[in-house]
Amino acid sequence: MKGDVKIQILKYFLNIFNGIFLIIGAIILGCGIWILWDENSFIGTLLAPGHQDILSVSAYCLIVIGITVTIVCLVGCIASIKEVKCLLILYFTFLILIFILQLAVGLAVLSQYSKIVTAMNKKTIEAIKHYGNDSFSKELKWNLLDVIQKEFQCCGYYNSTDWEQNALMLLNKTLPCSCSNYIEADFTFPCTVKESADIYPKGCSEEIKQWLSSNIFTLLGAAAVLLLVQVLQFIMAVYLLKYIKKRKQLI
């Protein structure tokens, strides 16, 4: 009787953790899809092609993890409810594979983080230099710079003097409308707003880095929680298999 109670308790908690596992897996799947298909995202727009490849590989890995998590949850629920030993063993195998894959993705993101930040610095400055040049991805990078500057109330990457690297801005001795809290600023180019007390004094570098860090570490935090849940799932599944074997031996 005691063995049956333990089995029911393990089933209950295992299915609870399967539910948590599924929710976190869905979050990771959503992050992977967002990174891969949101072409207008800040990071996807500014990164150099080589680093975009790294980002795409990480996104595909996240999508694979999310899909695998769904399958694992289904297998785990069926295995615990039906008490099928072979499915429990398959469940163990899935958990181990996901654990290894998550560690690999997490380490890859952390190892490339400084390179991604450096690439973003370079590409943001490049976008500032070419702002106003019709041959330079006007619809994407121009608008993106304007939105970032207006949203974060900043100007340039380090400060407003970064715009002196732009030949058109330097020639006209002006700045983009998004650099100012000027009421009539409509993000059009050219803009007649001159450098004055209305220009945002700080650059956008810290805000951009903070945005990147918060998103990356939120993702890594979710992955860390998922790893912890997996360890608990593995332990409970092992004990469940042990008690199922023991009960069948007594029958």
Side-chain angles (χ1 to χ4, degrees):
M1 188 65 181
K2 290 183 179 179
D4 289 337
V5 172
K6 288 179 181 179
I7 288 175
Q8 293 305 317
I9 292 173
L10 284 170
K11 283 182 180 181
Y12 176 76
F13 281 103
L14 184 59
N15 286 326
I16 287 177
F17 280 111
N18 268 329
I20 297 172
F21 194 44
L22 182 60
I23 292 170
I24 299 174
I27 292 172
I28 292 177
L29 175 61
C31 289
I33 293 172
W34 171 69
I35 291 171
L36 192 62
W37 277 287
D38 186 8
E39 296 179 352
N40 294 324
S41 68
F42 176 74
I43 188 170
T45 301
L46 293 183
L47 286 183
H51 291 86
Q52 285 178 335
D53 291 340
I54 293 170
L55 203 65
S56 295
V57 170
S58 298
Y60 279 119
C61 287
L62 293 174
I63 290 171
V64 169
I65 289 173
I67 293 172
T68 307
V69 162
T70 303
I71 297 171
V72 168
C73 289
L74 291 173
V75 171
C77 288
I78 295 171
S80 63
I81 293 171
K82 298 295 184 180
E83 299 183 10
V84 182
K85 290 191 289 183
C86 62
L87 285 181
L88 280 172
I89 294 171
L90 182 62
Y91 184 59
F92 299 154
T93 306
F94 271 130
L95 287 175
I96 293 170
L97 289 175
I98 295 175
F99 191 92
I100 294 171
L101 185 57
Q102 281 179 254
L103 283 179
V105 172
L107 291 174
V109 171
L110 286 175
S111 66
Q112 295 296 323
Y113 178 75
S114 61
K115 292 182 180 179
I116 291 173
V117 171
T118 301
M120 286 177 61
N121 295 347
K122 181 179 177 181
K123 297 300 288 186
T124 305
I125 294 297
E126 183 183 347
I128 289 172
K129 287 180 180 178
H130 292 279
Y131 186 99
N133 183 340
D134 288 334
S135 65
F136 188 74
S137 305
K138 176 179 177 181
E139 295 302 321
L140 195 55
K141 290 190 172 67
W142 290 20
N143 294 340
L144 187 58
L145 281 172
D146 283 329
V147 170
I148 289 169
Q149 291 189 146
K150 202 65 182 178
E151 178 68 23
F152 293 127
Q153 295 188 344
C154 53
C155 183
Y157 190 68
Y158 297 107
N159 52 56
S160 60
T161 60
D162 290 332
W163 287 100
E164 294 176 3
Q165 300 178 60
N166 183 293
L168 292 175
M169 297 292 175
L170 187 61
L171 178 64
N172 296 320
K173 298 184 184 301
T174 189
L175 293 168
C177 293
S178 55
C179 266
S180 171
N181 57 11
Y182 184 58
I183 297 175
E184 298 179 8
D186 59 0
F187 296 172
T188 57
F189 185 85
C191 182
T192 57
V193 177
K194 302 293 182 180
E195 187 170 3
S196 66
D198 292 332
I199 301 301
Y200 299 129
K202 65 178 181 178
C204 301
S205 61
E206 291 305 315
E207 281 73 14
I208 291 172
K209 290 176 183 176
Q210 185 176 358
W211 175 87
L212 178 64
S213 297
S214 63
N215 280 275
I216 287 180
F217 287 106
T218 297
L219 181 60
L220 291 176
V225 173
L226 191 57
L227 287 173
L228 177 60
V229 171
Q230 285 174 254
V231 171
L232 294 174
Q233 284 175 294
F234 187 85
I235 292 172
M236 284 185 289
V238 168
Y239 275 101
L240 180 59
L241 180 61
K242 175 183 174 182
Y243 285 121
I244 289 172
K245 285 182 176 179
K246 186 182 293 185
R247 188 177 66 178
K248 288 185 177 182
Q249 287 173 356
L250 294 174
I251 295 175

